Structures are given as structure tokens and as C-alpha cells.
Amino acid sequence: MSTLPPSAALALAARLLEAEGFAIVARNERGDSLYFASQGERATLRLSNHARRPRQRRTHPEVATSLVIREARSAAQIEALIAGAKRNYFLATAATYEVAGDSPAEGSAE
């Protein structure tokens, strides 16, 4: 099983998320974090090479989940990480709707 270096693994993860219907909605200033959202969603899925600090968690509550890739990974490992991040993202967005009493935007996955 061949592995990709972290930068290539992050690039592959970004392409796979886009293929799954997520769109890049923001980047951080350094360019090492990408923020994706499903169509019609305010919540984001963060893809990065580092974890968020507590202050970032407080000031950016729109981040539903993060996918952090710091080490070399195989394509299969990246696919498994994306599946878990997507599950967490959709669970978090569903919980937000339950708390707010809203319904999901049309066309969004639940």
C-alpha cells in the first residue's frame, strides 16, 4: 500500500470532497486550511494539516467538524477519513436544525 505525503494527501482529500458535492467556501490566510460546505449549508467542514486551537473553536462556531491530515496516508485511508468527517458533518448539521427548530435547506443531505 503506497502512501502520499501530507501535502498530496490533503490535495487528494480536497478533490474527493469536491467530488462528493462539497464546495470550498473559505481558506485561511496561510492557505493550510480549507473550509468546505455542502450546498445550502452554513456549517463548514475544515480540512487542514493542524488541529484548531481553543480560541479558533470559540470564534468560528460554524465549523461543524475538522479533518486533519498530518502524516502520510494511503488513498484508502483518506477515503475512510472523509467518510468519517462527512458523517460527523451531517450529524452536526442535523443537530443544529433540531436545536434551532429549522428544517434543512432543500437539496441538502441529511
Side-chain angles (χ1 to χ4, degrees), residues 19-32:
E20 296 268 349
F22 285 83
I24 296 173
V25 295
R27 297 174 192 268
N28 71 347
E29 293 173 4
R30 292 184 309 271
D32 56 3

Side-chain angles (χ1 to χ4, degrees), residues 43-77:
T44 60
L45 185 158
R46 177 178 172 270
L47 174 63
S48 187
N49 63 357
H50 62 280
R52 295 191 304 156
R53 296 183 307 272
R55 180 173 179 227
Q56 291 171 309
R57 287 188 185 94
R58 284 191 310 273
T59 59
H60 293 286
E62 73 279 3
V63 177
T65 192
S66 291
L67 172 53
V68 177
I69 299 176
R70 299 178 229 219
E71 302 169 359
R73 301 282 181 184
S74 71
Q77 289 172 320

Side-chain angles (χ1 to χ4, degrees), residues 83-100:
K86 281 177 43 185
R87 181 192 69 241
N88 293 343
Y89 176 84
F90 289 120
L91 287 171
T93 57
T96 299
Y97 292 124
E98 289 175 13
V99 169

